[in-house]
């Protein structure tokens, strides 16, 4: 939780007005998600990436891939946590993925971190500072909502965001790219969904 140089003045301002503040590293965000919802296992690495992408303000950077969004620093953090013995990855043969669980050491570190976050303000993104308790609450709610969804469900969720007021894809695509995605969505995906609902044999898919 050592602040980078660009954050020092922000932390000093918060400290000056009597508000403890912190900026978390990717590994600490991963630990918080693993601790959320009663320390339930995270199902698949994609759940880490997609859950943090769905936050009001994502705490790490993302790049779009063909079927998902990917955070290089989050990927590295998860791998390091496993290598350090704080997190254990166990194969879930029934789901064809891995379950990420806190080890005894990881649980102790995560519990300590949660207590610090509860009593602090947390910088999320470039400028926003949020109450730690609210950050923990958001992670808990997101994990309960999205943990365990398979890739097809994630893709379906993202596609439906294109035509909603809460278009989170605007975080990674510019205006022209969004317009193009909306055009494709309306011409193909939405038409397919309508045809399936109506039971039409004319569906193109």
């Amino acid at each position: 939780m050592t602040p980078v140089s660009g954050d020092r003045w922000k932390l000093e301002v918060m400290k000056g007005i009597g508000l403890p503040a912190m900026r978390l590293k990717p590994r600490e965000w991963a630990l918080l998600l693993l601790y959320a919802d009663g320390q339930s296992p995270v199902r698949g690495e994609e759940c880490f990436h997609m859950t943090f992408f769905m936050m009001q303000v994502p705490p790490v950077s993302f790049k779009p891939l063909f079927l998902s969004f990917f955070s290089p620093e989050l990927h590295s953090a998860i791998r390091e946590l496993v290598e350090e013995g704080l997190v254990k990855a166990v194969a879930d043969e029934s789901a064809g993925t891995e379950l990420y669980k806190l080890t005894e050491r990881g649980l102790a570190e995560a519990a300590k971190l949660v207590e610090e976050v509860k009593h602090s303000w947390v910088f999320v993104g470039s400028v926003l500072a949020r109450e730690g308790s609210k950050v923990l609450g958001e992670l808990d709610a997101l994990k309960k909502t999205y943990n365990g969804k398979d890739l097809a469900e994630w893709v379906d969720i993202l596609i439906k965001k294109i035509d909603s007021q809460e278009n989170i894809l605007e975080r990674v695509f510019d205006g022209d790219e969004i317009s193009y995605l909306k055009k494709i969505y309306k011409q193909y995906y939405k038409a397919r969904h309508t045809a399936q609902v109506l039971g039409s044999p004319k569906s193109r898919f």
Side-chain angles (χ1 to χ4, degrees):
M1 289 173 287
T2 302
V4 296
S5 58
D7 285 334
R8 293 186 188 282
W9 70 270
K10 302 174 188 176
L11 296 177
E12 288 299 322
V13 169
M14 298 290 285
K15 182 179 178 181
I17 58 177
L19 295 176
M22 63 200 322
R23 180 177 289 280
L24 303 174
K25 298 177 181 178
R27 60 177 283 130
E28 292 166 329
W29 283 108
L31 285 173
L32 289 180
L33 184 63
L34 284 159
Y35 193 87
D37 190 25
Q39 300 96 53
S40 59
V42 171
R43 297 182 177 276
E45 184 183 340
E46 65 275 11
C47 183
F48 286 96
H49 296 275
M50 297 303 294
T51 299
F52 285 116
F53 184 76
M54 299 294 282
M55 285 185 69
Q56 292 181 6
V57 179
V60 292
S61 61
F62 286 92
K63 58 188 295 186
L65 300 182
F66 181 59
L67 292 174
S68 182
F69 290 94
F70 177 75
S71 170
E73 61 262 44
L74 188 57
H75 174 73
S76 297
I78 295 167
R79 182 179 61 219
E80 290 171 4
L81 288 171
V82 172
E83 292 174 350
E84 293 172 18
L86 298 178
V87 174
K88 184 177 181 180
V90 181
D92 182 1
E93 297 180 1
S94 63
T97 186
E98 292 181 317
L99 297 179
Y100 291 84
K101 305 178 180 180
L102 290 167
T103 64
E104 187 174 342
R105 286 178 52 222
L107 179 60
E109 184 167 327
K112 180 180 178 182
L113 176 63
V114 166
E115 287 304 309
E116 291 182 53
V117 171
K118 280 182 181 178
H119 301 95
S120 299
W121 285 70
V122 179
F123 282 103
V124 186
S126 58
V127 295
L128 181 65
R130 298 183 61 197
E131 291 181 66
S133 58
K134 292 184 178 179
V135 170
L136 295 174
E138 182 181 7
L139 286 178
D140 197 69
L142 287 173
K143 188 176 182 182
K144 288 179 179 177
T145 301
Y146 297 116
N147 192 25
K149 293 192 179 298
D150 60 31
L151 183 59
E153 290 175 299
W154 278 120
V155 172
D156 190 60
I157 289 170
L158 290 173
I159 288 175
K160 290 178 179 177
K161 291 290 185 181
I162 295 174
D163 204 32
S164 69
Q165 292 183 340
E166 183 194 357
N167 188 357
I168 59 176
L169 299 181
E170 292 175 349
R171 298 170 180 172
V172 291
F173 297 116
D174 64 27
D176 288 340
E177 291 166 338
I178 290 294
S179 295
Y180 179 68
L181 287 173
K182 285 184 176 181
K183 180 179 179 180
I184 293 175
Y185 170 77
K186 291 177 180 178
Q187 289 180 340
Y188 298 100
Y189 185 86
K190 202 169 184 179
R192 175 190 177 189
H193 178 71
T194 301
Q196 289 176 337
V197 172
L198 297 177
S200 171
K202 296 181 181 181
S203 174
R204 297 179 59 183
F205 299 90

